[in-house]
Amino acid sequence: MPTQPHSKPLLFLIPHYVGSFKYFEKLLPFIAEHYEVKFLIIFGRKSYGKMLEYARINQHPFYAVEPPAINFLSRYIPFYAILKNHKHYTEEINKLLDKERPVKIIATNDQGFYSGYLMKQANQRQIDTMVLQWALTYPGQRILLKKETPAWRKFSYRFGKPLYLKIKNFLLGFVLDKPRNWSKGMIGGGKAKRFGVINEQTLEFFIERGIPKEKMTVVGYLDFYLSEQMKNQLANDKNKRQELAKRHNIDRSKRNIIFYSTPFNRKDIAVLTDQEQYQLTETIIKTLREICPQSEFDILFKPHPSEDIGQYQKLNRYGVKFMNPIADNNELIGLSELYIAGVSTTNFIPLAMNKDAIFVNLSKLPQIESGRSFFAIKRFITGIDELRSLLQSFKNNALEKQYQQPNKIITPDSLKKILGWIG
């Protein structure tokens, strides 16, 4: 039984890092009328600590599945920590579900051990299990550049990793008494009963990759609604414009250009080195400043939440204003006259707001190019001369739209559809 009865039916929101936490956070005002909403923060995530910190700072109600205590020497025993973590997690999840009895669970994924086990146990308790797509999925995300790899590493990866996974899954099956392959797979392909996707295009994408059509519903993207609301507020409410500009230190007497970093130097997407990532960013900033002088234009630079902002401090020489990595994108883009980025789910916002935008791929990465049609982008700019030309057109108020009519991209009435899907 729950320690205290819940005033309303309990609903868990389960983010996997601060970015998805912030997306779910936007849902809170709309679902709190009918549900007692709590975030469930799971220690198996790399960003567990950051999510805990964010929840506490913002005073969000949450449950945390904390990691088990593992003594120092035991860490060096092969597979011990993995088995201990998994065994502890299964016990804690079962206790939590039995004690709190949520009626619904909304997560960012239903694959892998932590999400998969949770969904399985929730289904057994007749809990409504859902995955809500909060970020774009497209083919290029799985493209890796070919690199020269030492022979020993190729051998290890080809033969050692499969052996490691077999041993791991065997031991997990033994410890958990239920054999199961807990490898990660395509989002929505796990045990969740329902999968809400962003638009018709992603529906087709997932169907082609084997996700059952009957499991999916096109619900849209919350920022489609929020972007339209913000656009109207900024157009009609002078006080709102002034308040937000002051909050973000944006000078409305200048034309503001916002540039979003798309990191390809992270551990999970190691396409560029740290130096290459910086050089690529500096090239764009430098070109911006050549065309758009500081007396008339401000450059707003927003690092990705997963990045270390310190790596970009040298950009101060160009008079760049650094935006908070977790600042509200609708506010920042709404207050800007030009949006520049590579491939990012944030690209939906300038489309929804009908903003001027330039989409860049100076490294000519296939990972970026493959996302073009998913945002109705006409072209990614791959050369400095092209970038200069478009910036000059923008400066002269003559920039042609760099995206097509996003009829298949923007899902109308997204908020209504998301709430109807949640039920």
Side-chain angles (χ1 to χ4, degrees), residues 244-407:
L244 293 180
K246 182 178 180 180
R247 180 190 304 171
H248 298 295
N249 188 29
I250 293 176
D251 184 353
R252 293 291 294 162
S253 69
K254 295 183 180 181
R255 296 172 72 186
N256 289 277
I257 302 169
I258 188 159
F259 173 39
Y260 277 71
S261 175
T262 307
F264 281 94
N265 60 327
R266 293 178 294 175
K267 185 177 179 181
D268 55 336
I269 314 176
V271 177
L272 301 177
T273 65
D274 290 348
Q275 183 61 25
E276 288 169 337
Q277 178 72 30
Y278 174 79
Q279 288 175 343
L280 177 67
T281 303
E282 184 181 33
T283 297
I284 295 170
I285 295 290
K286 183 179 180 181
T287 306
L288 271 169
R289 190 49 84 204
E290 287 175 3
I291 306 298
C292 303
Q294 194 168 351
S295 58
E296 301 175 44
F297 299 85
D298 268 346
I299 300 173
L300 316 179
F301 176 64
K302 189 170 188 287
H304 190 273
S306 66
E307 291 186 284
D308 175 10
I309 195 171
Q311 69 179 311
Y312 293 115
Q313 289 308 307
K314 291 181 182 178
L315 296 177
N316 282 316
R317 72 183 77 173
Y318 302 104
V320 168
K321 286 186 176 180
F322 285 83
M323 299 293 103
N324 187 327
I326 58 173
D328 188 291
N329 292 318
N330 289 299
E331 294 174 0
L332 295 181
I333 297 171
L335 291 167
S336 301
E337 281 69 45
L338 176 65
Y339 170 91
I340 300 177
V343 63
S344 166
T345 305
T346 312
N347 290 354
F348 285 134
I349 297 176
L351 272 67
M353 290 186 172
N354 195 33
K355 285 277 183 178
D356 279 340
I358 297 174
F359 304 98
V360 293
N361 184 13
L362 296 187
S363 290
K364 302 178 182 179
L365 295 173
Q367 292 88 342
I368 294 178
E369 179 59 32
S370 69
R372 183 171 56 81
S373 63
F374 288 83
F375 293 107
I377 293 171
K378 292 179 180 178
R379 59 173 174 157
F380 281 104
I381 303 308
T382 58
I384 292 297
D385 288 342
E386 287 181 286
L387 179 58
R388 286 195 181 101
S389 176
L390 291 183
L391 288 173
Q392 193 65 55
S393 295
F394 164 72
K395 185 178 180 180
N396 297 332
N397 297 307
L399 180 64
E400 293 184 5
K401 281 288 183 284
Q402 298 297 298
Y403 48 87
Q404 299 164 348
Q405 287 297 318
N407 299 330

Side-chain angles (χ1 to χ4, degrees), residues 67-82 85:
I70 300 177
N71 93 28
F72 179 75
L73 293 177
S74 298
R75 297 174 188 272
Y76 295 96
I77 301 174
F79 295 101
Y80 178 83
I82 292 174
N85 284 343

Side-chain angles (χ1 to χ4, degrees), residues 181-211:
N181 183 356
W182 298 107
S183 298
K184 294 180 181 179
M186 180 66 67
I187 176 177
K191 294 293 185 180
K193 296 173 185 174
R194 300 193 280 140
F195 182 21
V197 301
I198 288 175
N199 54 28
E200 292 290 340
Q201 194 171 51
T202 52
L203 176 69
E204 294 169 7
F205 173 86
F206 286 118
I207 290 173
E208 289 172 359
R209 282 151 185 82
I211 309 300

Side-chain angles (χ1 to χ4, degrees), residues 58-248:
N58 292 280
Q59 299 182 330
H60 290 307
F62 69 91
Y63 292 113
V65 180
E66 300 177 348
I70 300 177
N71 93 28
F72 179 75
L73 293 177
S74 298
R75 297 174 188 272
Y76 295 96
I77 301 174
F79 295 101
Y80 178 83
I82 292 174
L83 297 176
K84 177 83 171 179
N85 284 343
H86 284 52
K87 180 67 172 174
H88 172 78
Y89 176 75
T90 60
E91 293 170 350
E92 292 301 304
I93 282 297
N94 283 306
K95 287 179 187 175
L96 180 65
L97 294 178
D98 288 337
K99 178 181 177 182
E100 302 300 337
R101 296 183 179 179
V103 297
K104 295 179 185 289
I105 288 174
I106 304 176
T108 55
N109 202 349
D110 56 356
Q111 293 278 25
F113 171 74
Y114 291 97
S115 295
Y117 186 83
L118 170 63
M119 294 295 179
K120 179 181 178 182
Q121 295 304 314
N123 287 338
Q124 291 178 359
R125 292 165 172 80
Q126 306 305 310
I127 297 168
D128 191 7
T129 52
M130 295 172 274
V131 168
L132 178 60
Q133 187 188 12
W134 75 280
L136 189 66
T137 300
Y138 58 95
Q141 289 170 315
R142 296 179 177 270
I143 299 174
L144 296 176
L145 293 184
K146 292 182 179 179
K147 297 182 179 180
E148 287 298 322
T149 306
W152 67 267
R153 183 166 290 179
K154 290 180 180 178
F155 179 86
S156 175
Y157 188 83
R158 183 172 181 181
F159 298 103
K161 186 174 181 179
L163 179 61
Y164 168 83
L165 291 175
K166 283 184 179 181
I167 295 172
K168 173 185 168 183
N169 286 328
F170 171 79
L171 292 173
L172 284 177
F174 179 76
V175 170
L176 303 181
D177 197 33
K178 289 182 180 178
R180 175 79 159 82
N181 183 356
W182 298 107
S183 298
K184 294 180 181 179
M186 180 66 67
I187 176 177
K191 294 293 185 180
K193 296 173 185 174
R194 300 193 280 140
F195 182 21
V197 301
I198 288 175
N199 54 28
E200 292 290 340
Q201 194 171 51
T202 52
L203 176 69
E204 294 169 7
F205 173 86
F206 286 118
I207 290 173
E208 289 172 359
R209 282 151 185 82
I211 309 300
K213 183 177 181 180
E214 60 273 15
K215 179 178 181 176
M216 294 186 284
T217 304
V218 175
V219 299
Y221 184 60
L222 188 57
D223 277 320
F224 294 158
Y225 168 81
L226 296 176
S227 297
E228 184 177 1
Q229 295 294 109
M230 181 57 61
K231 177 184 176 182
N232 293 336
Q233 286 180 26
L234 292 173
N236 301 316
D237 189 338
K238 180 181 178 181
N239 291 333
K240 183 73 170 181
R241 289 197 304 272
Q242 292 176 338
E243 174 205 337
L244 293 180
K246 182 178 180 180
R247 180 190 304 171
H248 298 295

